[in-house]
Amino acid sequence: GAVVSQHPSRVICKSGTSVKIECRSLDFQATTMFWYRQFPKQSLMLMATSNEGSKATYEQGVEKDKFLINHASLTLSTLTVTSAHPEDSSFYICSARDIGGQRGTDTQYFGPGTRLTVL
Amino acid sequence: QKEVEQDPGPLSVPEGAIVSLNCTYSNSAFQYFMWYRQYSRKGPELLMYTYSSGNKEDGRFTAQVDKSSKYISLFIRDSQPSDSATYLCAMSAGKGAQKLVFGQGTRLTINP
């Protein structure tokens, strides 16, 4: 249980284009999903918290107009990087909150990540 | 000062050794403590989940939390080459919808 998928796993795009990343909870419903980015050899930095049916809450310093988040259903959240530039190249990871479940925990389970390279 | 401090390593030990990984933190509001394992180019995998102080054991893994010292540990017994990964501690003040604060991660290599 508590499986989270991401698509695509890897994307390469030209500077100025927009990229959409999908995050799905496969075997549970997630009212809350989170988006992180991770630079090489560094830890995860929370970008935003996404609640189903409402606007996302962004962390300080994260541009909400650049990183568009939509959480339209209990199993799907999307992150769109608009007008991507080389400095946006990173590993983007989503997580989903699983309340209880088989492990009896209320915590976050992570997707496999999406590696974005902007040329 | 970071909220969560974790030695990034790298840490290299022989197969079969007991591994000790640690994190310290400064925010006394943290109540939930987790350890994640992350293989290269993959998302973090939840290993251990602990509430408040105490010990928790799951197979070869033992998590310890000492809130009085603001110090948490993960022990791996009978370490295997497949345990080679980056281990991230994470903590939060509340349950799953609360913001997780991560340590930097410790790169661990188990040598056959």
Side-chain angles (χ1 to χ4, degrees):
Chain A
V3 179
V4 177
S5 71
Q6 271 183 252
H7 178 81
S9 59
R10 180 187 294 266
V11 58
I12 300 173
C13 68
K14 293 181 178 180
S15 184
T17 60
S18 293
V19 175
K20 180 185 283 188
I21 303 170
E22 292 185 349
C23 177
R24 294 181 185 272
S25 56
L26 297 185
D27 53 0
F28 65 99
Q29 293 183 327
T31 54
T32 307
M33 290 184 171
F34 304 82
W35 287 95
Y36 296 80
R37 65 189 296 181
Q38 185 178 34
F39 291 106
K41 298 186 180 181
Q42 294 190 24
S43 191
L44 283 76
M45 296 300 295
L46 179 65
M47 298 174 66
T49 302
S50 166
N51 291 297
E52 186 266 337
S54 63
K55 290 183 178 180
T57 302
Y58 290 81
E59 294 297 301
Q60 190 174 9
V62 178
E63 299 176 59
K64 60 181 66 177
D65 294 331
K66 181 169 187 62
F67 298 100
L68 301 178
I69 291 172
N70 183 277
H71 192 164
S73 78
L74 289 173
T75 59
L76 173 65
S77 177
T78 59
L79 168 68
T80 301
V81 183
T82 62
S83 187
H85 288 92
E87 58 266 28
D88 298 322
S89 299
S90 188
F91 193 50
Y92 291 87
I93 308 175
C94 72
S95 71
R97 179 189 182 190
D98 182 19
I99 301 173
Q102 295 181 6
R103 296 180 69 117
T105 61
D106 176 0
T107 189
Q108 298 176 34
Y109 292 88
F110 286 81
T114 296
R115 185 161 302 281
L116 171 63
T117 302
V118 185
L119 302 176
Chain B
Q1 182 188 6
K2 295 180 181 177
E3 273 192 292
V4 180
E5 298 276 1
Q6 183 177 8
D7 186 343
L11 178 62
S12 183
V13 301
E15 183 176 356
I18 297 174
V19 176
S20 173
L21 304 168
N22 311 292
C23 289
T24 58
Y25 63 95
S26 58
N27 189 345
S28 58
F30 289 144
Q31 297 278 354
Y32 296 85
F33 304 91
M34 286 133 280
W35 286 95
Y36 289 86
R37 177 175 62 195
Q38 185 177 25
Y39 292 111
S40 182
R41 301 175 183 269
K42 300 292 184 183
E45 170 194 8
L46 180 65
L47 280 179
M48 301 292 284
Y49 175 95
T50 310
Y51 169 70
S52 195
S53 286
N55 296 352
K56 186 173 184 178
E57 188 174 320
D58 185 358
R60 297 185 295 110
F61 298 91
T62 299
Q64 289 185 353
V65 175
D66 182 348
K67 290 189 66 181
S68 63
S69 301
K70 297 188 177 66
Y71 186 89
I72 70 170
S73 301
L74 177 70
F75 297 95
I76 307 174
R77 292 184 299 280
D78 187 24
S79 56
Q80 305 293 313
S82 58
D83 295 328
S84 298
T86 295
Y87 289 79
L88 298 149
C89 65
M91 45 199 81
S92 69
K95 288 187 175 181
Q98 295 289 325
K99 175 180 175 179
L100 284 181
V101 181
F102 284 86
Q104 188 176 349
T106 300
R107 291 187 66 187
L108 172 66
T109 301
I110 308 297
N111 301 303

